[in-house]
């Protein structure tokens, strides 16, 4: 499979059930260009398409997917050493991840085990030497009960519920004994259980 076809298949998978218009909003790229990237060629001349490094960087942030993996899929594999990876962009995220671990008094090995990573790999994440995939980022967020937006520096609020605090929904939720029991059990859940809950929420939301 050619690199443009390999990248196209990957981008289509990352977009998932989002519409091209939705992908346009979060990436800042035109929906027609995204469509061409997913097909692997420009519709105007049917020639293979290869996105720029800056475009891949933008897609990486929008889809929360490894920039390095996108570079490899796009055929930049032989040029990786010449390319400045976005470690500076990831520095703030790495700093927040490390701070959260220290707040919980957890060791590198303990967190690595929770994330099912080897300690050296996880250490490189905290040192901003490598970027975690979107899935690992979600696991880290679940581990510390924060949003991925907080990890990415898009908000300074650690609590996912801060945006709906004080709403009628929250008030009724807080007054419900069964809801309180649910929350108490939720805080004791492991990552796998939280992932199952997230999958269930996605199914409900799609309906």
């Amino acid at each position: 499979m050619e690199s443009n076809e390999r990248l196209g298949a990957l981008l289509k998978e990352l977009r998932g059930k989002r519409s091209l218009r939705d992908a346009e909003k979060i990436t800042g790229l035109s929906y027609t260009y995204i469509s061409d990237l997913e097909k692997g060629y420009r519709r105007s001349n049917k020639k293979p398409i290869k996105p720029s490094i800056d475009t891949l960087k933008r897609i990486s942030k929008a889809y929360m997917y490894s920039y390095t993996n996108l570079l490899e899929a796009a055929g930049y594999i032989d040029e990786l050493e010449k390319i400045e990876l976005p470690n500076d962009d990831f520095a703030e995220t790495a700093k927040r991840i490390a701070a959260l671990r220290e707040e919980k008094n957890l060791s590198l090995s303990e967190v690595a085990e929770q994330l099912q990573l080897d300690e050296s790999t996880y250490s490189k994440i905290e040192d901003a030497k490598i970027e975690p995939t979107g899935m690992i980022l979600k696991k880290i967020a679940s581990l510390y009960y924060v949003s991925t937006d907080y990890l990415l520096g898009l908000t300074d609020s650690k609590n996912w519920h801060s945006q709906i605090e004080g709403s009628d929904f929250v008030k009724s939720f807080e007054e419900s004994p069964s809801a309180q029991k649910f929350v108490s059990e939720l805080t004791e859940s492991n990552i796998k259980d939280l992932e199952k809950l997230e999958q269930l929420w996605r199914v409900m939301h799609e309906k």
Side-chain angles (χ1 to χ4, degrees):
M1 182 182 291
E2 297 293 330
S3 61
N4 60 309
E5 296 175 341
R6 183 167 62 251
L7 177 65
L10 174 59
L11 293 181
K12 189 171 184 179
E13 179 183 348
L14 292 175
R15 178 165 63 85
K17 294 184 179 180
R18 297 185 187 92
S19 68
L20 287 170
R21 290 288 189 180
D22 287 339
E24 179 181 60
K25 292 177 182 178
I26 64 174
T27 62
L29 304 171
S30 72
Y31 75 93
T32 54
Y33 182 57
I34 295 171
S35 177
D36 285 354
L37 286 176
E38 291 183 2
K39 290 183 175 67
Y41 59 84
R42 293 188 181 278
R43 67 186 67 192
S44 59
N45 55 23
K46 302 299 181 183
K47 291 184 178 181
I49 185 171
K50 186 173 183 178
S52 69
I53 293 171
D54 287 339
T55 294
L56 293 176
K57 188 174 180 180
R58 185 179 298 184
I59 292 172
S60 170
K61 288 183 177 180
Y63 290 157
M64 292 189 297
Y65 186 77
S66 168
Y67 178 53
T68 304
N69 289 349
L70 287 175
L71 288 171
E72 292 176 344
Y76 287 107
I77 192 167
D78 296 329
E79 302 175 42
L80 284 180
E81 293 183 358
K82 303 176 185 177
I83 295 173
E84 183 180 349
L85 296 180
N87 290 341
D88 289 341
D89 292 341
F90 184 66
E92 177 61 26
T93 297
K95 182 179 178 181
R96 292 190 175 201
I97 290 174
L100 287 168
R101 177 180 61 78
E102 292 171 359
E103 286 175 10
K104 296 291 185 180
N105 293 317
L106 295 172
S107 66
L108 287 169
S109 60
E110 287 174 327
V111 175
E113 183 178 357
Q114 286 276 3
L115 300 176
Q116 298 180 327
L117 296 173
D118 60 78
E119 186 176 340
S120 63
T121 298
Y122 176 72
S123 178
K124 290 178 182 177
I125 290 175
E126 285 200 3
D127 291 337
K129 292 180 179 177
I130 61 173
E131 290 187 59
T133 63
M135 180 57 71
I136 294 298
L137 201 64
K138 288 179 181 179
K139 286 185 177 182
I140 293 172
S142 296
L143 180 62
Y144 299 119
Y145 305 107
V146 298
S147 68
T148 52
D149 280 356
Y150 173 75
L151 294 181
L152 293 171
L154 301 177
T155 177
D156 289 328
S157 174
K158 293 182 182 179
N159 300 320
W160 63 269
H161 56 75
S162 61
Q163 296 180 356
I164 57 173
E165 245 176 15
S167 68
D168 291 338
F169 168 77
V170 172
K171 291 177 181 177
S172 61
F173 192 84
E174 290 175 342
E175 294 170 359
S176 169
S178 59
Q180 293 174 13
K181 183 176 184 293
F182 168 75
V183 172
S184 66
E185 293 178 351
L186 182 65
T187 57
E188 299 174 359
S189 301
N190 57 39
I191 288 178
K192 289 185 178 180
D193 289 337
L194 291 173
E195 287 178 347
K196 291 178 182 177
L197 183 61
E198 181 184 359
Q199 290 172 1
L200 177 61
W201 168 254
R202 288 182 183 277
V203 171
M204 293 171 61
H205 184 66
E206 288 166 3
K207 290 182 178 181

